[in-house]
């Protein structure tokens, strides 16, 4: 039996999914089918592995057998040194002997080659070697990140963690906030003759289902929804092609955010083969041209992760904020707000629902928003989770699981709790 068919036999109930969609909107031709995570794009086990930087030749030669006896291992600064050796004929018999003559001593910040001193034809014979130019040391003093008095310096503790780029994090997110204005999406639905806000909600609910079962990053989901809205605000799309726009946007987002994106065939399968490969690729080109090839869009999810760190929020509070933010993806009315403001409102609403903190001067400093700036948006979000759509429950089911602390079961705030 075909491997792909075997793989998808244990997917969702196709008939059940189609019946649910038909009940929601009879005119919509969005076909939702079952799927499992792709496995066809695994690396070929017979393919020769090439480790990172393995073929770079201008690195320090291995000092196995080259270091003088008795020296042992030493804690020395990292160096990048290339020694140009004289070209001379070597025989296998004298190979080891020649290597011993060209011992490289990596100690005390010095580089010594006996063949360089003895051979006048060497490329370095007429050049004086400067020790300081070959040695790169890390200073003991740490760079400072200055913050106003009363503001928690959240990046100072991670300065030595190169993965968190703490020294540049404030500049990165300030840059994101500047680029937000470039990617603001207008209210476009009135210009779409065959689409409705309910169809968009169905599509986003389906994208969340795909993201979960393909085990994609949350950033991929948010980018896909952003691409859908951006494309629909600039191009007229019929309802028959709406699912193709969603699937293609998710595929494009996978290429940007995922290490191993699913195959086109996987996306065609989950669309119940309603489209072919050529249509998929042509729409991908169209979307990429429409966004002017600028796919590095600021996302509310990235802001939320940053701001939750600024608030030193617990994992449960962060998960509740993620649930609120993900629910807002289905609501068309929220596309008019800035991504950073959505993140702030969701985080502070989660804090109030969990009674886990207030909007401090630290959050004010890092986000640029005051409590009164986000309060109206918080009330809109609270109203949304107080009466969620009954027919679209993928996100509710997802965040009702114990893995997500069952945050979807937490009750919304009353109007008196906002005062």
């Amino acid at each position: 039996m075909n491997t792909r068919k075997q793989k998808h036999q244990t997917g969702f109930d196709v008939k059940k999914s189609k019946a649910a969609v038909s009940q929601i909107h009879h005119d919509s031709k969005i076909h939702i089918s079952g799927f499992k995570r792709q496995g066809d794009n695994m690396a070929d086990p017979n393919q020769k592995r090439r480790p990172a930087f393995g073929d770079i030749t201008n690195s320090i030669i291995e000092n196995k057998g080259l270091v003088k006896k008795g020296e042992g291992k030493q804690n020395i600064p990292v160096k990048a040194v290339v020694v140009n050796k004289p070209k001379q004929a070597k025989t296998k018999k004298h190979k080891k002997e020649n290597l011993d003559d060209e011992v490289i001593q990596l100690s005390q910040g010095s580089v010594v080659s006996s063949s360089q001193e003895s051979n006048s034809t060497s490329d370095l014979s007429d050049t004086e070697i400067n020790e300081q130019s070959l040695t790169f040391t890390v200073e003991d003093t740490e760079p400072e990140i200055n913050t106003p008095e009363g503001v928690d310096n959240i990046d100072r503790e991670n300065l030595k963690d190169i993965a968190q780029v703490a020294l540049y994090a404030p500049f990165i997110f300030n840059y994101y906030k500047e680029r937000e204005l470039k990617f603001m999406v207008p209210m476009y639905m009135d210009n779409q003759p065959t689409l409705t806000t309910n169809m968009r909600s169905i599509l986003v609910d389906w994208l969340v289902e795909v993201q979960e079962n393909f085990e994609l990053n949350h950033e991929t989901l948010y980018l896909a929804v952003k691409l859908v809205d951006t494309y629909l605000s600039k191009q007229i799309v019929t309802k028959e092609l709406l699912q193709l726009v969603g699937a293609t946007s998710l595929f494009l987002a996978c290429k940007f955010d995922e290490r191993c994106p699913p195959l086109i065939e996987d996306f065609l399968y989950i669309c119940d083969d309603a489209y072919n490969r050529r249509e998929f690729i042509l729409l991908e080109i169209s979307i990429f041209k429409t966004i002017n090839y600028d796919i590095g869009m600021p996302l509310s999810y990235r802001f939320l992760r940053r701001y939750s760190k600024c608030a030193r929020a617990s994992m449960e509070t962060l998960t509740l904020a993620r649930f609120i933010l993900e629910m807002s993806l289905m609501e068309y009315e929220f596309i008019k707000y800035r991504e950073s403001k959505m993140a702030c409102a969701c985080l502070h609403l989660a804090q109030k629902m969990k009674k886990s903190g207030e909007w401090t001067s630290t959050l004010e400093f890092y986000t640029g928003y005051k409590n009164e700036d986000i309060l109206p948006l918080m009330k809109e979000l609270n109203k949304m989770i107080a009466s969620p759509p009954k027919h679209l429950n993928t996100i509710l089911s997802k965040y009702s699981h114990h893995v997500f602390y069952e945050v979807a079961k937490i009750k919304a705030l009353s109007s008196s709790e906002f005062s």
Side-chain angles (χ1 to χ4, degrees):
M1 185 181 293
N2 188 286
T3 305
R4 182 174 296 280
K5 291 183 179 179
Q6 287 180 335
K7 177 183 61 175
H8 290 298
Q9 278 183 347
T10 56
F12 290 156
D13 189 342
V14 178
K15 294 182 180 179
K16 183 178 178 181
S17 296
K18 288 183 178 180
V21 175
S22 177
Q23 184 178 359
I24 294 168
H25 198 285
H26 296 285
D27 295 332
S28 176
K29 294 185 179 180
I30 297 180
H31 302 282
I32 299 179
S33 61
F35 48 84
K36 290 290 287 181
R37 179 168 175 81
Q38 93 293 354
D40 297 335
N41 59 344
M42 299 294 289
D44 185 358
N46 298 322
Q47 187 177 4
K48 182 181 177 182
R49 296 183 61 189
R50 181 182 178 220
F53 305 113
D55 293 339
I56 295 179
T57 56
N58 61 339
S59 59
I60 302 176
I61 62 174
E62 296 182 5
N63 56 359
K64 183 178 180 181
L66 300 181
V67 180
K68 289 183 178 180
K69 295 182 180 180
E71 287 186 347
K73 296 182 180 179
Q74 301 180 19
N75 295 325
I76 57 174
V78 179
K79 301 173 177 62
V81 182
V82 180
V83 178
N84 295 325
K85 302 175 185 178
K87 296 181 180 180
Q88 56 184 5
K90 294 183 180 180
T91 61
K92 293 183 179 179
K93 182 178 180 181
H94 298 93
K95 184 176 182 180
K96 185 177 184 303
E97 183 179 345
N98 291 333
L99 287 175
D100 291 335
D101 291 337
E102 295 177 357
V103 172
I104 299 179
Q105 298 176 346
L106 298 177
S107 61
Q108 304 299 324
S110 62
V111 179
V112 178
S113 175
S114 58
S115 63
Q116 289 177 358
E117 297 176 358
S118 60
N119 197 326
S120 58
T121 61
S122 173
D123 294 337
L124 298 179
S125 58
D126 297 330
T127 305
E128 182 179 356
I129 299 178
N130 187 348
E131 286 187 10
Q132 294 181 354
S133 65
L134 298 176
T135 306
F136 304 93
T137 59
V138 179
E139 296 181 0
D140 295 332
T141 58
E142 295 180 355
E144 282 294 327
I145 301 177
N146 297 321
T147 56
E149 186 177 353
V151 173
D152 184 12
N153 195 330
I154 62 164
D155 294 308
R156 180 176 295 166
E157 61 198 47
N158 303 119
L159 283 174
K160 293 185 178 180
D161 187 351
I162 60 174
Q164 298 198 38
V165 290
L167 187 61
Y168 304 104
F171 303 99
I172 292 172
F173 281 90
N174 286 338
Y175 175 67
Y176 277 159
K177 287 194 69 174
E178 290 175 2
R179 279 174 61 82
E180 276 185 304
L181 297 175
K182 180 180 179 181
F183 297 100
M184 292 296 294
V185 178
M187 306 298 284
Y188 59 83
M189 199 57 74
D190 291 340
N191 299 325
Q192 293 289 346
T194 62
L195 301 183
T196 64
T197 56
N198 190 45
M199 290 181 187
R200 180 189 176 278
S201 298
I202 296 172
L203 179 66
V204 173
D205 182 79
W206 178 74
L207 288 174
V208 173
E209 195 175 3
V210 176
Q211 179 258 328
E212 276 292 286
N213 286 273
F214 277 1
E215 299 177 7
L216 305 175
N217 298 327
H218 282 85
E219 289 89 343
T220 304
L221 169 66
Y222 281 78
L223 179 56
V225 175
K226 188 74 173 181
L227 289 172
V228 169
D229 286 327
T230 303
Y231 187 74
L232 293 182
S233 67
K234 298 180 179 181
Q235 302 290 341
I236 302 297
V237 176
T238 62
K239 62 184 180 182
E240 291 81 10
L241 293 178
L242 182 58
Q243 189 183 19
L244 181 60
V245 172
T248 309
S249 297
L250 186 60
F251 180 61
L252 197 55
C254 287
K255 288 185 176 182
F256 185 75
D257 260 312
E258 298 294 328
R259 184 178 180 184
C260 298
L263 302 174
I264 290 181
E265 287 73 19
D266 292 322
F267 284 97
L268 295 177
Y269 181 86
I270 62 176
C271 292
D272 200 23
D273 294 321
Y275 317 102
N276 57 47
R277 185 183 180 91
R278 176 176 173 79
E279 290 173 327
F280 196 96
I281 294 176
L282 288 176
L283 184 58
E284 181 186 8
I285 295 171
S286 177
I287 293 176
F288 210 26
K289 285 183 178 179
T290 301
I291 65 174
N292 198 26
Y293 310 100
D294 193 350
I295 199 171
M297 302 176 177
L299 303 175
S300 55
Y301 188 81
R302 297 190 194 277
F303 283 111
L304 178 60
R305 295 182 65 169
R306 169 67 175 174
Y307 296 158
S308 64
K309 177 180 174 63
C310 298
R312 299 193 182 275
S314 65
M315 194 61 201
E316 190 171 351
T317 302
L318 173 58
T319 305
L320 177 57
R322 287 170 53 188
F323 163 66
I324 301 170
L325 188 61
E326 204 160 311
M327 286 289 291
S328 71
L329 289 178
M330 291 194 300
E331 300 298 326
Y332 169 72
E333 296 299 323
F334 289 114
I335 69 171
K336 61 187 175 184
Y337 294 107
R338 295 178 62 155
E339 303 285 337
S340 58
K341 192 172 185 178
M342 286 293 300
C344 290
C346 292
L347 175 61
H348 195 25
L349 181 57
Q351 285 181 318
K352 283 189 170 294
M353 292 174 66
K354 292 292 297 179
K355 296 179 174 59
S356 60
E358 296 296 332
W359 200 253
T360 62
S361 57
T362 299
L363 284 166
E364 215 173 282
F365 172 77
Y366 283 104
T367 65
Y369 295 101
K370 296 181 180 180
N371 182 55
E372 53 267 26
D373 297 332
I374 59 176
L375 187 59
L377 180 54
M378 288 171 56
K379 292 180 179 179
E380 288 186 51
L381 291 167
N382 187 68
K383 184 179 179 181
M384 174 195 69
I385 60 176
S387 55
K390 296 181 180 179
H391 54 278
L392 300 176
N393 56 7
T394 301
I395 300 175
L396 283 171
S397 300
K398 172 182 174 180
Y399 284 93
S400 295
H401 197 274
H402 67 87
V403 172
F404 294 98
Y405 304 100
E406 300 180 351
V407 293
K409 299 179 181 179
I410 300 176
K411 293 183 179 180
L413 298 177
S414 61
S415 56
S416 60
E417 292 179 275
F418 283 100
S419 56

